[in-house]
Amino acid sequence: MITRLFDNAHVLFQATDENGFNEIAIGASVDGGGQIVLEQEGRHIVINPGSVNDLCRLLKKLQKEGANG
C-alpha cells in the first residue's frame, strides 16, 4: 500500500498490548497549510496547531481514566 505523507513526516509505532498484539502505527505530518495530519489505515485526522496543548491534556486525562477503570 502506498501512503502519501506530507512535510516533516513521522511514524509512531505503538507499544504491544497486553495480549501480545502490535497496535497499528500512526503516521503524523504537516500539510501544506500548516495543519497537523494524523493517519492510520487510510483515515486522516486534521488538527489545528493551536489545539495541540488541549489535545495533549485530553489524551493524558483519558490515559489516567483508562488506568483507573
Side-chain angles (χ1 to χ4, degrees), residues 27-55:
S29 56
V30 179
D31 71 8
Q35 301 295 309
I36 297 166
V37 180
L38 302 179
E39 185 268 332
Q40 187 179 50
E41 293 191 320
R43 295 170 292 188
H44 296 84
I45 298 174
V46 179
I47 301 168
N48 182 309
S51 299
V52 169
N53 290 335
D54 291 333
L55 177 59

